[in-house]
Amino acid sequence: QVQLVESGGGSVQAGGSLTLSCTAFGATYSYHCTGWFRQAPGREREAVANLDSDGRIYYTDSVKGRFTISNDGMYTINLQMNSLKPEDSAMYYCAFRRFRCGGYQTDFDDWGRGTQVTVSS
């Protein structure tokens, strides 16, 4: 069983930055994908970004140029979020897929509990 541990959420003013981190404990998959999703109250869950083990990256259009996903070790990813906007406020969830994503993907095997990001105007 893969356990995802997230950290780094918080509150920031518009234009500020936050970095989210996620580690997949118990993972032993050579080919895998780790991603971030977010869900705001009353809205559907949205795929934000993902990173394949072979380096392929996906970003949703609304975060391109502002967010950067990267790895820090084989099973730890970071999401650097710059120029944050109030509409980025949501619960952010880390997710792990036991194979490649190959771009946009919503079918993940393991999920974290989430970390709250709040951006005030």
Side-chain angles (χ1 to χ4, degrees):
Q1 184 70 21
V2 176
Q3 181 182 8
L4 301 178
V5 178
E6 303 137 323
S7 63
S11 298
V12 66
Q13 289 191 329
S17 299
L18 286 172
T19 300
L20 306 183
S21 183
C22 173
T23 298
F25 290 98
T28 58
Y29 304 91
S30 296
Y31 301 107
H32 61 273
C33 175
T34 311
W36 288 98
F37 290 75
R38 64 187 179 187
Q39 188 168 21
R43 303 191 65 177
E44 292 188 356
R45 186 172 63 193
E46 175 188 26
V48 176
N50 68 53
L51 174 60
D52 270 334
S53 51
D54 61 5
R56 181 170 180 170
I57 292 175
Y58 163 82
Y59 294 108
T60 192
D61 285 345
S62 63
V63 308
K64 287 180 180 177
R66 301 188 298 122
F67 290 13
T68 302
I69 192 168
S70 62
N71 57 18
D72 183 10
M74 191 169 183
Y75 296 110
T76 296
I77 62 164
N78 297 317
L79 184 68
Q80 175 69 42
M81 305 185 294
N82 298 326
S83 303
L84 282 162
K85 305 175 181 180
E87 51 264 43
D88 293 318
S89 296
M91 184 71 78
Y92 282 69
Y93 297 92
C94 179
F96 186 84
R97 176 176 166 86
R98 302 175 188 187
F99 198 65
R100 300 184 187 94
C101 284
Y104 175 78
Q105 179 63 255
T106 60
D107 185 15
F108 283 73
D109 299 288
D110 306 282
W111 294 83
R113 294 186 175 184
T115 184
Q116 180 69 39
V117 171
T118 302
V119 184
S120 57
S121 58

